[in-house]
Amino acid sequence: MMKLGARRLLGAAASMLAASLVLAGCGGGTSGGGEGDNTLTLWHNATTGPGSEYWETIASDFEASHEGVTVEVQAIQNEDLDGKLQTSQNAGEGPDVFLARGGGKLRDMVEAGLVLDISDMIDDSVAADVPEGAFSAYTVDDGIYAMPTSLQPGGIYYSQDLFDAAGITETPTTMDELSDAVAKLKDSGTSAIALGAKDAWPAAHWYYFFALRECSQDVLENSLAELDFSDQCWVDAGEDLADFASTEPFNSGFLTTSAQQGAGSSAGMVANHQAAMELMGTWNVGVIASLTPDEEPLPDLRWFPFPAVDGGEGDPTAIMGGVDGYACSSTAPAELCAEFLNFFMSEENQEAYADAFETIPVNEKAQDVVTQEALIPQVEANNDAAYSQVWLDTSLGQNIGNALNVAVVDMLAGKGDAQGIVDAMTAAAAKE
């Protein structure tokens, strides 16, 4: 086994997205390691389609190659994951293997002694094929607490057909150009941007990206480390969002629209050409595919990075997003659990993961399978990024992150303002 260092990389390796995990709930077993050393309970967030089938196949293949071992698989809706996981862990009944979010959420689990340190349990072959920047997404105090599986940079997904119909010939690179595209799309008779604000975090993504563009890298990192949001850029980000929202770029009823559940969700609107754009992470390719009429990938789905903000001090090439990954509970059978993590990280299984979830695998040898038009520019954007930042709610941890997300929705609903977002984060941070 190879122990990986815990360097924080913000150059090329970090551009592989030292990040979080936005997506993705898991559903759970009722015992974490309590059924014996030959049983693993797995929680994941792919409730239907190829993603669900992938985990069933992985479990079956692992059982076939490990006589006497049982892997119990359960899926939970993404938005339900955090609450169910926290409740089950508090009761001592959490799953053995679960989809893990990095940042402050993972740190809280580590400090509570709920997660296994796998630093010395990562196979040499896995360590050689996965960039260290991906492992840093799950590094806490020199320990690695989850196995990264896929890169998930955030950006704007769009329908090439709807762009063509509206006469948009170039993807926006500035906010002025994005606003111009919104106007053209609305004039063409389609909703410009789908937003599932009912789930809060999709709306907050807009604030995150405005902060990424307004705040310099140093300010952003120091603010998150010190939980100090006094720099003017945090207010500026909220004002940017308020100004943009005042042009009514989002779908009608966006405050009561969910993000990923059914044809009426924001992802479903893009899947069915009822809206032209959505700001989301890489997982959206697979979610949209599951919501098209034939449940196949949307042929005209494309992607571009979040535009630059005029006067902002953030690097316009910086990426925000996450890395999907899976952790072992501290009460799981350690060696068996770690062996399961290494098992699904083989080149073959990573290729299958990329196909099933329409995403970018972290195993570099498996990345040749990425052929989707919407994913290829994301790989390029990762490579060209000045640095990568974890989703803000993940980086800040559940309490501050939730306060941030709710405050953004309140502002969009006319019940708050930009300063209110900063005040909400500051108040939540004071309770940490």
Side-chain angles (χ1 to χ4, degrees):
M1 302 292 182
M2 176 180 185
K3 179 165 177 127
L4 297 177
R7 302 195 307 267
R8 177 139 185 215
L9 304 182
L10 292 175
S15 71
M16 298 302 292
L17 274 184
S20 80
L21 274 175
V22 74
L23 349 268
C26 306
T30 58
S31 66
E35 297 183 12
D37 289 344
N38 291 325
T39 297
L40 291 175
T41 54
L42 166 66
W43 287 14
H44 68 86
N45 68 320
T47 56
T48 61
S52 179
E53 294 169 5
Y54 168 84
W55 284 116
E56 293 292 343
T57 299
I58 287 294
S60 178
D61 289 349
F62 189 75
E63 289 174 344
S65 60
H66 294 74
E67 185 177 355
V69 170
T70 299
V71 181
E72 298 178 351
V73 183
Q74 207 167 354
I76 292 181
Q77 179 63 37
N78 178 51
E79 283 68 33
D80 296 335
L81 171 62
D82 284 355
K84 287 181 178 293
L85 187 60
Q86 184 174 32
T87 298
S88 65
Q89 288 179 328
N90 288 344
E93 299 176 346
D96 294 313
V97 189
F98 58 91
L99 182 65
R101 307 186 195 274
K105 293 181 179 180
L106 180 64
R107 178 175 288 276
D108 289 344
M109 290 186 186
V110 171
E111 291 177 350
L114 298 173
V115 193
L116 181 69
D117 184 345
I118 63 170
S119 303
D120 295 319
M121 308 172 93
I122 299 169
D123 284 350
D124 289 347
S125 59
V126 173
D129 295 338
V130 176
E132 193 169 350
F135 283 107
S136 70
Y138 296 111
T139 298
V140 177
D141 297 335
D142 296 335
I144 298 172
Y145 290 89
M147 182 72 78
T149 55
S150 65
L151 303 171
Q152 302 203 334
I156 298 179
Y157 291 86
Y158 71 98
S159 161
Q160 185 66 63
D161 290 351
L162 293 181
F163 266 44
D164 290 344
I168 302 169
T169 59
E170 300 287 342
T171 55
T173 60
T174 67
M175 284 307 300
D176 286 342
E177 291 175 359
L178 180 61
S179 293
D180 182 61
V182 166
K184 289 180 178 178
L185 288 161
K186 291 167 67 176
D187 287 345
S188 73
T190 190
S191 292
I193 301 174
L195 178 59
K198 179 181 179 180
D199 294 319
W201 56 266
H205 278 180
W206 284 90
Y207 178 80
Y208 302 172
F209 274 92
F210 277 120
L212 185 71
R213 297 291 181 253
E214 284 287 5
C215 301
S216 69
Q217 180 178 348
D218 286 343
V219 167
L220 192 65
E221 291 178 348
N222 290 335
S223 293
L224 296 175
E226 302 298 328
L227 301 182
D228 178 357
F229 311 104
S230 59
D231 192 282
Q232 180 63 30
C233 69
W234 292 100
V235 174
D236 291 342
E239 292 178 344
D240 288 341
L241 176 54
D243 290 344
F244 183 62
S246 70
T247 67
E248 300 184 352
F250 307 125
N251 57 289
S252 176
F254 69 88
L255 289 170
T256 56
T257 300
S258 65
Q260 301 175 350
Q261 301 176 49
S265 66
S266 55
M269 293 183 70
V270 177
N272 294 282
H273 283 168
Q274 296 172 348
M277 290 182 277
E278 185 181 24
L279 175 62
M280 197 56 67
T282 304
W283 64 85
N284 212 33
V285 176
V287 173
I288 288 173
S290 72
L291 297 173
T292 59
D294 59 3
E295 296 186 2
E296 294 292 335
L298 189 66
D300 68 317
L301 187 65
R302 303 292 187 269
W303 180 92
F304 61 90
F306 194 86
V309 172
D310 186 34
E313 305 215 350
D315 193 302
T317 69
I319 289 270
M320 181 172 292
V323 176
D324 252 358
Y326 283 78
C328 289
S329 166
S330 57
T331 59
E335 291 186 7
L336 182 64
C337 195
E339 191 167 349
F340 181 72
L341 299 185
N342 285 304
F343 178 80
F344 65 63
M345 286 302 294
S346 70
E347 180 180 351
E348 179 182 3
N349 286 334
Q350 271 271 280
E351 289 176 347
Y353 185 94
D355 285 339
F357 289 95
E358 302 287 342
T359 193
I360 305 169
V362 295
N363 186 316
E364 292 180 319
K365 289 183 178 178
Q367 290 179 354
D368 287 344
V369 301
V370 178
T371 58
Q372 299 93 330
E373 291 284 348
L375 291 177
I376 293 173
Q378 296 180 50
V379 177
E380 297 170 352
N382 264 330
N383 293 338
D384 295 338
Y387 72 101
S388 299
Q389 172 58 49
V390 179
W391 302 109
L392 294 189
D393 58 346
T394 300
S395 181
L396 290 167
Q398 189 160 340
N399 293 333
I400 305 174
N402 286 347
L404 164 59
N405 293 351
V406 170
V408 172
V409 174
D410 283 346
M411 186 187 75
L412 292 175
K415 298 186 292 186
D417 57 15
Q419 185 61 53
I421 295 174
V422 175
D423 291 345
M425 288 193 290
T426 300
K431 299 176 182 179
E432 292 291 293

